[in-house]
Amino acid sequence: MGTTEDSPPVLSVVIPALDEAAGIAACLERLVGQPEIDEIVVVDNGSTDRTRDIVAELADRHPKITLIDEPQRGVAHARNAGFAKARGDYLGRIDADTLVGPDWGATVRAHLDANPDTMAVTGISTYHDSPIGFFLAAAIGGQQRLGLIKNQPVGNVHGANMAIRRSAWEKVRSATTTRRDLHEDLDLALCLTKAKLRIDQLPPLRAEISARRRQTPPATWWRYQVRGLQTIANQGYTVVPFHRAVITGAWVMHTSQWPIYRAWDFDRKRFSLRPMRPRVSPVGD
């Protein structure tokens, strides 16, 4: 859409946002200085805080930023509206609390430019506000040293750190769901897989995300994990014991860490005895 024979592909980044005043400025500041990123589309999904004002102020200073509204609630609706508005041949997708690495745009562009058979890419994410985030970073580093995390085809994408070719999106768009009780990023990955469109995992595609959702109570988190199985079934795949084992392991890990996060004040970056209001997963809220 944004390219001619004499110009390189356009890279757009789409950011769904709902009440993200606390972190949206930091998210955008990581993007605007990267020359490889041509356009940033923020899709406000009905914020009641200062999200829109903050984005509008930044857009006045940075022509790359465009703010649009999507009144129909749901990450998938916001993502779709952003992809429709964006002019990019490559469509990045991150969350409003994501802090991308300084070479994020260059990594996306270089890989998709050099690998025409790759239709989507997804990266490695750690936490930028977790009191125990170093454990995740250490685990990822260890897996990389063992060769378990490498540049390779995968079957899923992380919605907070990914990009897709517009041509691939147009092929699968009608097959994707906008149901709010399902995982929109897993759903997209399943649609790409069914269409035999390749997804590559790129270890250099680094981003830091917020750990706020780790304050979600275990019972609520279990329902969130189960919706992953429902997403798989909704696309016609059979849910197998391996899938159940994965979500059970993820829930056990979450539950073991929940008391730590429950006592963590994300705003002040310190532990607090004051009960915190959990930032629960957006799926189905």
Side-chain angles (χ1 to χ4, degrees):
M1 172 178 267
T3 189
T4 68
E5 291 184 1
D6 298 323
S7 63
V10 170
L11 171 58
S12 302
V13 179
V14 170
I15 308 172
L18 173 60
D19 291 337
E20 295 286 358
I24 189 69
C27 171
L28 293 173
E29 286 165 1
R30 289 290 187 101
L31 297 168
V32 293
Q34 298 190 27
E36 297 83 5
I37 296 174
D38 301 296
E39 178 187 40
I40 304 159
V41 179
V42 180
V43 186
D44 184 72
N45 204 203
S47 296
T48 57
D49 63 2
R50 293 195 65 251
T51 296
R52 295 191 85 267
D53 294 336
I54 293 169
V55 176
E57 291 167 6
L58 287 169
D60 285 340
R61 302 203 309 266
H62 301 287
K64 284 185 181 182
I65 300 173
T66 299
L67 173 64
I68 66 171
D69 293 299
E70 173 48 61
Q72 191 161 3
R73 285 286 181 91
V75 178
H77 288 294
R79 175 201 64 194
N80 293 0
F83 282 0
K85 176 66 175 179
R87 57 188 178 87
D89 308 282
Y90 302 157
L91 300 169
R93 154 80 171 91
I94 67 171
D95 285 343
D97 55 15
T98 297
L99 304 178
V100 302
D103 58 353
W104 192 90
T107 301
V108 169
R109 187 182 290 279
H111 191 81
L112 292 179
D113 285 351
N115 297 273
D117 292 336
T118 298
M119 295 294 111
V121 294
T122 192
I124 305 300
S125 302
T126 53
Y127 292 130
H128 60 73
D129 56 3
S130 167
I132 55 174
F134 57 89
F135 286 117
L136 175 60
I140 290 173
Q143 292 179 71
Q144 284 189 273
R145 287 190 291 274
L146 292 172
L148 301 177
I149 294 179
K150 56 187 178 181
N151 188 332
Q152 61 185 343
V154 292
N156 200 3
V157 295
H158 182 201
N161 184 11
M162 62 156 289
I164 184 173
R165 292 183 190 272
R166 177 176 293 278
S167 59
W169 168 244
E170 290 176 347
K171 287 179 181 178
V172 302
R173 175 175 50 192
S174 62
T176 62
T177 185
T178 54
R179 284 175 52 180
R180 292 178 59 196
D181 61 334
L182 300 179
H183 296 300
E184 51 85 25
D185 49 358
L186 174 58
D187 175 74
L188 173 57
L190 293 172
C191 290
L192 290 168
T193 299
K194 286 169 71 173
K196 295 182 170 54
L197 300 176
R198 176 170 166 162
I199 305 166
D200 281 352
Q201 179 187 68
L202 305 182
L205 190 65
R206 304 304 289 259
E208 296 175 311
I209 62 175
S210 175
R212 287 178 180 268
R213 292 181 183 90
R214 291 295 177 181
Q215 289 185 334
T216 305
T220 305
W221 191 261
W222 176 252
R223 292 194 294 272
Y224 172 74
Q225 295 289 344
V226 168
R227 284 167 179 161
L229 302 183
Q230 295 168 344
T231 304
I232 293 171
N234 185 63
Q235 282 295 343
Y237 287 90
T238 300
V239 174
V240 299
F242 172 76
H243 297 140
R244 297 185 185 279
V246 168
I247 71 161
T248 300
W251 179 81
V252 169
M253 182 67 70
H254 175 86
T255 301
S256 67
Q257 296 176 358
W258 179 66
I260 299 173
Y261 284 109
R262 189 168 184 268
W264 180 248
D265 187 325
F266 280 91
D267 295 324
R268 299 180 181 181
K269 301 295 189 298
R270 69 184 188 188
F271 288 102
S272 172
L273 296 177
R274 179 169 55 90
M276 305 301 297
R277 183 174 66 87
R279 171 67 177 273
V280 299
S281 162
V283 176
D285 64 359

